Amino acid sequence: MGDDVVEQLGDYETHSFSARELAALRYADALYFDHHGITEEQFTQLRAVFSEQEIVELTWVLVQFIALGKLIYVLGIPYGEGQHELDATENDTQEGATT
């Protein structure tokens, strides 16, 4: 996935994603922002482009990523850019303590 696709995710409704991609992105937002508010209409839209098994698999993957993001945030686990610098700093600190 290119950087341009990642940039388009912030406003995916205005970009040229496939019907399956749009359904998955809408579902991901619904799961993240208000999983109690997911409607039968949303499932009807999912069923139009995904099989029942695919919906189960999609749901499982999405909730794992949502949970992982919350875990990373709550525990303050560093990730993404800057991680390599942090790793180097930790290695220097650990090496300094043992020498």
Side-chain angles (χ1 to χ4, degrees):
M1 182 180 331
D3 288 338
D4 55 330
V5 173
V6 173
E7 290 172 10
Q8 293 174 6
L9 290 175
D11 190 19
Y12 58 82
E13 293 288 353
T14 64
H15 295 284
S16 59
F17 289 100
S18 71
R20 284 172 60 93
E21 291 166 334
L22 278 172
L25 290 166
R26 290 173 184 144
Y27 186 48
D29 276 352
L31 281 170
Y32 181 79
F33 290 111
D34 184 16
H35 63 279
H36 293 286
I38 295 174
T39 65
E40 189 56 40
E41 180 182 335
Q42 288 169 304
F43 273 107
T44 299
Q45 292 171 0
L46 282 172
R47 288 183 187 107
V49 291
F50 292 107
S51 69
E52 290 296 323
Q53 182 176 343
E54 288 173 322
I55 292 170
V56 170
E57 291 175 13
L58 178 62
T59 303
W60 182 246
V61 169
L62 290 172
V63 298
Q64 285 181 326
F65 275 100
I66 291 167
L68 179 60
K70 291 177 186 274
L71 177 79
I72 287 169
Y73 178 81
V74 168
L75 297 180
I77 299 170
Y79 66 94
E81 289 186 32
Q83 178 63 44
H84 299 294
E85 291 121 21
L86 181 64
D87 289 342
T89 303
E90 286 178 354
N91 287 338
D92 290 344
T93 304
Q94 289 173 358
E95 289 172 7
T98 59
T99 54

